[in-house]
Amino acid sequence: LGSVTYADSAGLDTRKECLQGTRTEILSDIMEWVNSTGDNAQRVLWLSGPAGKGKSAIAHTIAKWVNDVGGLGSCYCFDRQREADRRHEKIFSTIARDLADRDPEMRRALADAVQAASSLKKTADIIQQWQKLLIEPLEKSSGSTGEPIVIVIDALDESGGVETRKDLLSILAGKHQNPAVPKITDLPGNFRFIVTSRPLHDIKDKFRGVQHIRQMSMDDIPPADAKRDIHTYVSKELEGLDFRDREFAVLAEKADGLFEWARLACGYIKESDMVYPKDCYEAVVSRNPAKRSPLLHDMYRLMLTNILPGDTSLHSQELRLTALARFRSVMGQILGTAEPLPLASLNAMRRHFPTQKDDSDVELVVKRMGSLLSGTTNPDSPIRPLHASFHDFLTDEKSSGEFFIDMSKAQRDLAFASLRVMEHGLRFNICNLNSSYLPNNEDPGLQERVQICIPPHLSYSSRFWTSHVRTTNFDKELAKEVKLFFNHERLFFWLELLALINALSGAGPALPSIAQWLKVSTLLMNVSSTAMDVQRFIQVFGGLILHSTPHLYVSALPFSPANSPLSKMFSARFLNTLHVASGRDMNWPAVQTPLRGHTDPVYSVSFSPDGTHIVTGSRDKTVRLWDASMSQPLQQRTKSDPPAFSDEHRTMEATTSTTSSTLNNHFICFSPNSIHALRNASELMEGASHSDRSSIPAFLNSDSGWVLGPNHRLLFWVPPASRPSLWSSRTALVIPRGAELDLSRMAHGQHWRKCREE
């Protein structure tokens, strides 16, 4: 189960618990619901409320309580600052693994499910996750004791946009358009889901009127209870300072039910440098915003003004403007990153910002912002806003005024920095891969070298430069940087790094948007074509590069089509590889558009005799007819209709294995011309038995595409289109002439690094 997708750092955080003695009524109410029994017990509790009211604190308190008695199934937290983690695509696989950790029967059932269908391990389709990883394994595990099992989903509103959470809301509400999708009421009766979020329209609309969802609002907490709890909180936070109970009461009154305001106020009072706490207290209580929404924003303005104080003198005013510009630049970077970065990584990226004035130490800005940002005291901790409302404040010009962050500028700066970080940091064989014969998972110490050789800011830049570029308006200077990237061999070093950190799958879908971004200028059409060529390269060769990264150079580049821009530009830099002497593809093979329409697995597919139509049959009891050229549905039949095409048009495909010839036990050849044989085969044959040396020293596994030597050493990989016609010593004749390989210059094994011309 270790390879089943799991969201890191999305679980229970005991630091977010409610202070003991606070929120007692609502916590008791929720625990009573958790322990409710009977067929009419509602399965989902939705706790909603505005930002800053303490929803997450309640959720984590309940999670901690039930975890202490063994009743926590999973705690899954969304986070706006971690949208790049795509947690919305990992929710039910993560919950399933958490449930498997607590229940041996669930663990066995989940293992059986992914063993039978390995694609489930990495699927981003949460409908499949829900049905195949959660519902069906739970049906097979009979270990329900009747004790409540609680699953907490915190901050659902921070899961992304409306489309991002559409399927999740449909599952929770039991309103999916496909009636075959299991409902939440199909789970064992002791399962309880707690969901927290702001009351956004799409969430309210989906949950409205659903019988199995109990709705609770933070706004329903009596004001007197909220004031009492905040009074308790500020008394504890300001303990030891020279304040009396009546001053705590004033703060509790000012908070107007917002725990986040109270936290900020206490932080401001305690942490202001060189200012007497009483003076900070007076500054807080003297402010009087009219409505609750501006209450947090007003506190942010007060705290930032204290960090960047104003002055009437001309010299001080100039210094303040400089400090404001530095603040906007640093905070723009922190808010704009696709995932939070620690101090050293932020500074490393800032050195590559497009303007020299932005090259300032992040610590100068964040060191006094401990009440607003996490990670300010630990250089290894990611720096991020402590509360989502601070992001909202800074990106709303009307609210933040002079502190406003222009995110378009921030994205441009990050795009430049990411491309330049890669320019200086990417290099060939960055993690010193030992041998092209080995899969990555058999290379000793590779994971440790990945951690040492790839610093966080280089990993970040390689994963997210496409995101920053495509969210920036077209810019000629930035386009020059993109062009330099695609026209340089570091493009391959980028693919190498992505494979080593297992992030290659994210590059393919991002590249078409880069190609579209470049098309704004007719002068960049060739670069746009190269971007699309890289996407095709990843589609065809991505699996083998992830399996054994040296074969990015050893196998993938040599087998890329002759007309591929990548092949034309970079083959000359990697001369010591295999060469396709005959039968090389000129262009990429066609990749068909998926046919979408069936609601269950498809068990049969057939082409019409003239190749213009496709017919498909599915477990959903329908047969569908498609236009093959447009991939569009034409008509649908029921299971009682006659067959679409006669049996005479059925075809059969055979699987074969191909072996190479051996010359004097030294050369391996996939060509009728002996000068194309592999030189220096001694390393490949090392440790092989005499029979291996004399009979089948290397063979093609036509299922995997790998040409394997003794002890399953990886010699090279053959694309699917070239496998049937690949020449071997047992070949009598191939019509038309098939693929013949020249291995005479091929660097392999521990010498694979020599494939690149220095």
Side-chain angles (χ1 to χ4, degrees):
L1 297 180
S3 57
V4 176
T5 298
Y6 192 87
D8 295 328
S9 306
L12 170 64
D13 187 346
T14 57
R15 296 170 298 179
K16 293 184 178 181
E17 280 186 89
C18 298
L19 180 66
Q20 188 172 5
T22 63
R23 299 302 201 196
T24 54
E25 291 83 5
I26 191 170
L27 290 171
S28 176
D29 196 9
I30 293 173
M31 286 304 299
E32 184 178 341
W33 166 79
V34 166
N35 292 301
S36 62
T37 57
D39 295 337
N40 295 325
Q42 293 165 300
R43 302 298 187 87
V44 179
L45 185 146
W46 177 38
L47 179 62
S48 64
K53 293 280 278 187
K55 303 180 294 296
S56 291
I58 291 171
H60 285 268
T61 301
I62 295 292
K64 174 66 165 57
W65 287 0
V66 295
N67 186 56
D68 289 345
V69 296
L72 181 64
S74 182
C75 181
Y76 196 87
C77 306
F78 289 104
D79 183 341
R80 180 185 298 173
Q81 291 297 117
R82 300 301 293 261
E83 283 188 18
D85 291 350
R86 304 189 70 80
R87 289 184 180 177
H88 61 282
E89 295 178 352
K90 304 174 183 178
I91 180 167
F92 292 123
S93 59
T94 301
I95 290 173
R97 281 186 55 179
D98 285 344
L99 290 170
D101 287 341
R102 67 184 303 279
D103 181 356
E105 289 194 23
M106 172 64 180
R107 184 157 58 248
R108 284 192 293 272
L110 183 59
D112 289 344
V114 298
Q115 187 173 24
S118 59
S119 62
L120 291 173
K121 293 180 179 180
K122 301 296 181 185
T123 181
D125 177 2
I126 69 165
I127 302 299
Q128 281 198 77
Q129 292 179 21
W130 170 251
Q131 182 167 349
K132 300 296 183 181
L133 301 183
L134 207 61
I135 296 290
E136 292 180 7
L138 282 170
E139 288 174 349
K140 296 176 182 177
S141 61
S142 58
S144 175
T145 61
E147 295 297 321
I149 297 175
V150 177
I151 295 171
V152 174
I153 301 175
D154 185 36
L156 178 59
D157 53 299
E158 296 186 34
S159 59
V162 172
E163 283 298 311
T164 299
R165 57 177 167 265
K166 180 177 66 175
D167 283 338
L168 176 54
L169 290 176
S170 296
I171 289 171
L172 294 172
K175 292 182 178 180
H176 199 275
Q177 60 186 5
N178 181 359
V181 174
K183 293 180 169 51
I184 205 164
T185 50
D186 294 332
L187 286 169
N190 58 327
F191 272 70
R192 299 287 183 271
F193 281 74
I194 298 175
V195 180
T196 71
S197 77
R198 289 178 295 160
L200 302 184
H201 289 299
D202 62 313
I203 303 176
K204 287 196 298 183
D205 291 344
K206 191 64 79 171
F207 287 174
R208 185 178 290 116
V210 178
Q211 293 295 316
H212 65 262
I213 297 180
R214 177 179 177 182
Q215 299 193 19
M216 298 179 67
S217 172
M218 298 295 291
D219 288 336
D220 294 336
I221 297 175
D225 292 352
K227 188 186 302 183
R228 178 203 63 207
D229 292 339
I230 292 175
H231 185 284
T232 302
Y233 173 80
V234 298
S235 301
K236 180 70 175 177
E237 286 295 301
L238 300 179
E239 192 174 34
L241 299 179
D242 188 20
F243 291 107
R244 294 186 292 273
D245 189 70
R246 63 180 179 83
E247 290 159 325
F248 298 148
V250 172
L251 285 172
E253 180 73 32
K254 283 283 182 182
D256 194 25
L258 291 176
F259 258 87
E260 179 63 12
W261 184 94
R263 186 191 69 80
L264 292 170
C266 291
Y268 175 72
I269 292 168
K270 289 191 300 182
E271 298 172 13
S272 293
D273 295 338
M274 299 178 291
V275 181
Y276 188 52
K278 283 279 189 180
D279 295 335
C280 295
Y281 167 84
E282 291 296 335
V284 168
V285 300
S286 64
R287 302 177 76 87
N288 189 31
K291 299 179 181 178
R292 172 195 289 152
S293 179
L295 194 60
L296 279 175
H297 293 180
D298 185 69
M299 179 57 70
Y300 290 136
R301 279 191 295 272
L302 174 63
M303 298 179 77
L304 293 177
T305 301
N306 183 61
I307 294 169
L308 299 166
D311 199 300
T312 55
S313 70
L314 181 60
H315 178 66
S316 295
Q317 188 66 21
E318 290 176 355
L319 290 176
R320 187 171 190 276
L321 290 174
T322 301
L324 269 172
R326 184 186 300 118
F327 167 84
R328 295 189 195 105
S329 178
V330 168
M331 285 307 304
Q333 181 186 12
I334 292 171
L335 299 184
T337 49
E339 68 179 27
L341 291 171
L343 183 66
S345 298
L346 291 169
N347 278 329
M349 292 193 71
R350 292 190 69 76
R351 297 185 192 107
H352 299 284
F353 271 27
T355 54
Q356 206 59 35
K357 65 181 180 180
D358 288 324
D359 183 13
S360 52
D361 192 338
V362 173
E363 190 175 14
L364 291 174
V365 173
V366 304
K367 64 182 180 181
R368 298 179 60 195
M369 296 179 66
S371 296
L372 301 169
L373 303 171
S374 66
T376 59
T377 57
N378 183 350
D380 298 322
S381 295
I383 297 176
R384 46 178 291 183
L386 281 168
H387 200 270
S389 59
F390 189 43
H391 181 287
D392 296 340
F393 166 75
L394 290 174
T395 55
D396 179 4
E397 188 170 11
K398 184 177 179 181
S399 299
S400 54
E402 64 180 352
F403 304 112
F404 171 67
I405 305 298
D406 181 357
M407 292 307 297
S408 62
K409 179 183 182 304
Q411 290 296 334
R412 182 179 184 273
D413 289 343
L414 286 165
F416 268 101
S418 297
L419 287 161
R420 290 174 178 177
V421 164
M422 291 192 296
E423 179 184 355
H424 289 84
L426 292 173
R427 59 183 175 84
F428 176 69
N429 194 21
I430 191 170
C431 290
N432 301 312
L433 298 167
N434 289 318
S435 172
S436 65
Y437 297 157
L438 298 175
N440 286 358
N441 60 10
E442 294 181 16
D443 189 332
L446 176 57
Q447 289 309 308
E448 290 76 10
R449 297 199 303 278
V450 167
Q451 296 299 318
I452 294 169
C453 299
I454 303 176
H457 64 281
L458 179 58
S459 170
Y460 176 91
S461 298
S462 299
R463 286 179 291 134
F464 296 116
W465 73 267
T466 54
S467 173
H468 294 306
V469 169
R470 69 174 184 257
T471 52
T472 303
N473 291 329
F474 182 81
D475 178 288
K476 289 184 178 180
E477 293 302 314
L478 181 58
K480 288 180 183 178
E481 298 280 341
V482 176
K483 181 179 179 179
L484 286 172
F485 174 78
F486 279 110
N487 288 343
H488 193 275
E489 64 176 342
R490 66 174 170 273
L491 175 62
F492 274 79
F493 307 159
W494 171 59
L495 296 176
E496 175 189 332
L497 183 147
L498 291 180
L500 292 171
I501 62 174
N502 200 29
L504 191 60
S505 61
L511 287 165
S513 62
I514 298 299
Q516 194 64 36
W517 187 86
L518 290 164
K519 284 183 178 179
V520 172
S521 171
T522 56
L523 299 176
L524 296 169
M525 296 302 289
N526 288 340
V527 186
S528 178
S529 297
T530 302
M532 294 306 299
D533 197 58
V534 178
Q535 186 200 32
R536 300 297 294 276
F537 186 89
I538 294 171
Q539 287 175 339
V540 174
F541 298 113
L544 91 98
I545 299 167
L546 286 168
H547 184 67
S548 180
T549 302
H551 287 270
L552 165 64
Y553 310 99
V554 174
S555 300
L557 181 57
F559 272 111
S560 59
N563 290 334
S564 157
L566 293 181
S567 178
K568 290 179 177 179
M569 284 192 292
F570 301 116
S571 290
R573 292 290 292 123
F574 301 91
L575 289 176
N576 298 323
T577 63
L578 68 86
H579 294 269
V580 183
S582 171
R584 183 177 185 181
D585 289 330
M586 298 304 295
N587 300 297
W588 293 107
V591 178
Q592 295 297 317
T593 303
L595 307 179
R596 303 188 185 277
H598 285 295
T599 57
D600 268 327
V602 175
Y603 289 146
S604 54
V605 180
S606 180
F607 274 83
S608 64
D610 62 3
T612 60
H613 297 90
I614 303 170
V615 66
T616 56
S618 166
R619 195 174 70 180
D620 65 8
K621 301 179 181 178
T622 66
V623 172
R624 294 175 182 263
L625 189 65
W626 309 81
D627 180 327
S629 62
M630 300 294 293
S631 302
Q632 295 296 310
L634 295 176
Q635 66 179 173
Q636 174 180 325
R637 296 172 180 264
T638 67
K639 64 178 180 178
S640 61
D641 288 328
F645 309 131
S646 62
D647 289 345
E648 65 181 302
H649 300 296
R650 294 180 181 175
T651 61
M652 183 177 295
E653 182 180 343
T655 300
T656 62
S657 290
T658 303
T659 62
S660 70
S661 65
T662 308
L663 304 177
N664 299 325
N665 296 334
H666 292 293
F667 304 125
I668 294 171
C669 198
F670 285 84
S671 166
N673 191 337
S674 62
I675 66 170
H676 291 163
L678 182 73
R679 309 291 174 180
N680 302 317
S682 56
E683 183 186 355
L684 180 70
M685 304 304 296
E686 184 179 351
S689 65
H690 178 75
S691 59
D692 281 339
R693 288 177 174 272
S694 59
S695 59
I696 308 177
F699 70 93
L700 169 65
N701 183 317
S702 58
D703 290 329
S704 70
W706 285 103
V707 171
L708 302 170
N711 301 316
H712 299 283
R713 292 172 182 145
L714 307 175
L715 185 56
F716 58 87
W717 185 85
V718 182
S722 300
R723 293 171 199 170
S725 61
L726 184 65
W727 191 93
S728 80
S729 60
R730 297 180 180 179
T731 303
L733 181 66
V734 177
I735 303 174
R737 189 175 181 182
E740 299 172 11
L741 307 182
D742 179 358
L743 309 183
S744 61
R745 296 189 62 177
M746 179 180 172
H748 55 96
Q750 293 184 7
H751 302 286
W752 77 270
R753 306 169 187 82
K754 296 180 181 179
C755 70
R756 178 172 176 256
E757 291 287 311
E758 295 294 343

